[in-house]
């Protein structure tokens, strides 16, 4: 299995080369030449641990890794860092199944991939005789940053620089990042939004003069964002696992169709579900849930992707995105893997902020359904689910639950559905608790943590306990134009 750039079908790399490089030339993204079919039965998968399911998914993509190498990466990632033995539990609640992807070190779904990426990257470096230290450049809308920092902190041969929108993440998210230890870490708040941070990172990857300069210093850039195939492919595993668990638990019969509903920002998480479907998992609809930054909802409705709109700061900040980078991988597929057509569309996006796909391409998006939830609807969903069941979900998961309820109401489709629960409610305590009762509006952040634990009858995660009294170690700020200087001064 090789990987090809979405913007140049002549640029072909092995899995390990793609993981190391992160972003292809000309800002292209690496995609598998073909999406492979699973070579083990659902029945066999249903009896496996999460680690074994992950192996049987990843081995089909990362074919230049030996079994020993890949199993070492998987077992090093999915270990006691997770607070549940099954890694990604399925919780049946209110006629849906919540796939809890937040039991890792930073209590968000990004842990599912970012706990393995450093191991994949170091193994890839050895395979390709890389002598330079790897510098991870990452833009975050809240969760990727801390998960990447947790994965790469003090990993020999690496450095990591994380940019986040100053004032555009929750206080808990910010504290998780700016209290990070590790001599090889740097966290910078930028005076801009996530899209500007992400664009700034992509520019540094594409700057040949900068890359040559840092190469002479003994470094090379790589990415921990979901544009890296070392991030994307591990996410496919948990959709395969969730289907196998539903079969094992007798909730469905092997072969029954399910729907999957994903709160979506950068499009990587729902793209992983699309890959799982194309590998043979019986998924019918992929329900793409947006918040008030509903650029994806509008795209699926009209075929026009248009980022020219007001950027809304919401209580689901990891979805506050107007440029969904991973959508390019789906566009490339819909264009029949025509790199030239994809480049034309991406150039339109860069130049005018919008592009329109053809009717033929739109016909290939029938697997997807898009809708969105307002801030008011998101809060109402949290409260109603808690009042009805006692189960507390975070703001991002609430966007998905709200959109799922709208989907059922509009279509009458009651196919059993897995909702990707992408973050712990402890990560967004203020918004969650205010949704449950306005009396909490004036409470202190950590008093809210204690109250949430009591209300939900859930233990406070270690990730929250750790930051309660932690020292702030990163107080760096810069303008969007100052991002390159922030990186080079750190490397010097």
């Amino acid at each position: 299995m090789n990987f090809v750039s979405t913007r140049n079908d002549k640029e072909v790399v092995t899995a390990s080369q793609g993981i190391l490089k992160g972003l292809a030339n000309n800002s292209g993204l690496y995609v598998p030449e073909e999406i492979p079919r699973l070579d083990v039965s659902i029945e066999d998968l249903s009896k496996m641990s999460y680690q074994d399911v992950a192996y049987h998914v990843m081995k089909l993509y990362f074919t230049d890794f030996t079994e020993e190498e890949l199993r070492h990466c998987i077992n090093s990632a999915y270990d006691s860092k997770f607070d549940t033995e099954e890694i990604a539990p399925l919780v049946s609640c209110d006629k849906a199944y919540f796939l809890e992807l937040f039991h890792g070190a930073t209590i968000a779904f990004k842990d599912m991939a970012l706990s393995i990426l450093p191991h994949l990257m170091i193994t890839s470096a050895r395979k390709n005789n890389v002598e330079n230290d790897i510098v991870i450049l990452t833009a975050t809308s809240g969760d990727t940053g801390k998960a990447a920092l947790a994965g790469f902190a003090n990993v020999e041969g690496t450095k990591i620089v994380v940019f986040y929108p100053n004032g555009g993440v929750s206080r808990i998210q910010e504290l998780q990042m700016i209290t990070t230890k590790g001599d090889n870490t740097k966290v910078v708040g930028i005076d801009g939004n996530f899209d500007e941070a992400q664009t700034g990172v992509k520019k540094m990857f594409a700057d040949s003069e900068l890359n040559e300069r840092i190469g002479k210093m003994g470094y090379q850039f790589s990415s921990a964002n979901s544009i890296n195939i070392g991030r994307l492919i591990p996410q496919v595993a948990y959709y395969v696992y969730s289907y196998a668990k539903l079969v094992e638990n007798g909730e469905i019969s092997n072969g029954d169709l399910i729907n999957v509903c994903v709160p979506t920002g950068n499009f990587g998480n729902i793209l992983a579900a699309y890959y799982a479907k194309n590998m043979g998992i019986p998924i019918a609809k992929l329900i793409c849930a947006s918040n008030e930054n509903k650029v994806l909802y509008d795209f699926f409705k009209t075929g026009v992707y248009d980022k020219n709109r007001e950027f809304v700061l919401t209580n689901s900040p990891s979805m506050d995105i107007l440029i969904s980078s991973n959508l390019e991988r789906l566009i490339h597929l819909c264009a029949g893997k025509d790199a030239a057509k994809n480049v034309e569309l991406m150039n339109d996006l860069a130049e005018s902020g919008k592009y329109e796909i053809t009717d033929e391409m739109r016909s290939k998006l029938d697997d997807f359904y898009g809708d969105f939830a307002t801030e008011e609807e998101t809060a109402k969903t949290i409260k109603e689910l808690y009042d009805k069941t006692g189960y507390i979900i975070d703001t991002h998961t609430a966007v998905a639950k709200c959109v799922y309820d709208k989907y059922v109401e509009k279509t009458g489709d009651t196919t059993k559905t897995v909702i990707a629960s992408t973050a712990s409610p402890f990560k967004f305590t203020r918004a969650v608790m205010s949704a449950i009762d306005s009396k909490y509006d004036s409470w202190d952040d950590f008093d809210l943590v204690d109250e949430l634990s009591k209300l939900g009858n859930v233990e406070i995660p270690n990730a929250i306990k750790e930051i309660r009294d932690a020292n702030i170690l990163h107080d760096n700020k810069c303008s969007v134009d100052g991002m390159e200087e922030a990186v080079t001064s750190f490397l010097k």
Side-chain angles (χ1 to χ4, degrees), residues 297 369-371 405-413:
Y297 162 70
Y369 170 92
D371 212 328
D405 290 341
K406 288 182 179 183
Y407 170 79
V408 173
E409 187 179 337
K410 288 177 181 177
T411 66
D413 180 6

Side-chain angles (χ1 to χ4, degrees), residues 334-356:
C334 293
K337 301 181 183 177
D338 182 342
K341 178 62 178 176
N342 183 66
V343 167
E344 177 191 324
L345 294 171
M346 294 307 125
N347 284 344
D348 287 346
L349 181 65
E351 290 162 15
S352 68
K354 62 189 284 190
Y355 62 79
E356 182 171 5

Side-chain angles (χ1 to χ4, degrees), residues 140-263:
T140 184
S141 54
D143 288 337
T144 288
K146 178 56 185 177
L149 288 161
F152 283 93
N154 294 319
V155 171
E156 192 174 341
T158 69
K159 289 184 182 293
I160 176 165
V161 185
V162 170
F163 295 97
Y164 71 95
N166 190 28
V169 300
S170 79
R171 181 57 178 161
I172 296 289
Q173 285 177 308
E174 184 174 44
L175 282 171
Q176 282 189 298
M177 288 188 282
I178 63 178
T179 59
T180 297
K181 297 175 183 175
D183 292 338
N184 65 334
T185 65
K186 179 165 183 153
V187 180
V188 185
I190 70 157
D191 297 328
N193 60 40
F194 169 75
D195 290 326
E196 290 170 312
Q198 183 167 252
T199 299
V201 165
K202 284 185 175 181
K203 279 182 181 174
M204 284 187 272
F205 275 108
D207 187 334
S208 55
E209 188 276 328
L210 173 62
N211 280 266
E212 185 179 341
R213 190 155 30 106
I214 69 147
K216 289 176 181 174
M217 296 163 65
Y219 299 110
Q220 66 185 64
F221 288 143
S222 191
S223 168
N225 280 79
S226 54
I227 53 178
N228 192 314
I229 56 163
R231 272 279 307 274
L232 177 65
I233 301 306
Q235 293 178 277
V236 179
Y238 48 72
Y239 293 110
V240 176
Y241 177 79
S242 65
Y243 187 89
K245 287 296 119 178
L246 288 174
V247 171
E248 182 192 26
N249 297 339
E251 302 286 349
I252 59 173
S253 298
N254 188 5
D256 287 353
L257 288 168
I258 65 167
N259 293 333
V260 173
C261 182
V262 187

Side-chain angles (χ1 to χ4, degrees), residues 127-145:
K127 279 184 172 303
N128 291 276
N129 301 311
V130 170
E131 295 180 4
N132 286 343
D133 280 4
I134 297 162
V135 179
I136 305 297
L137 290 186
T138 292
T140 184
S141 54
D143 288 337
T144 288

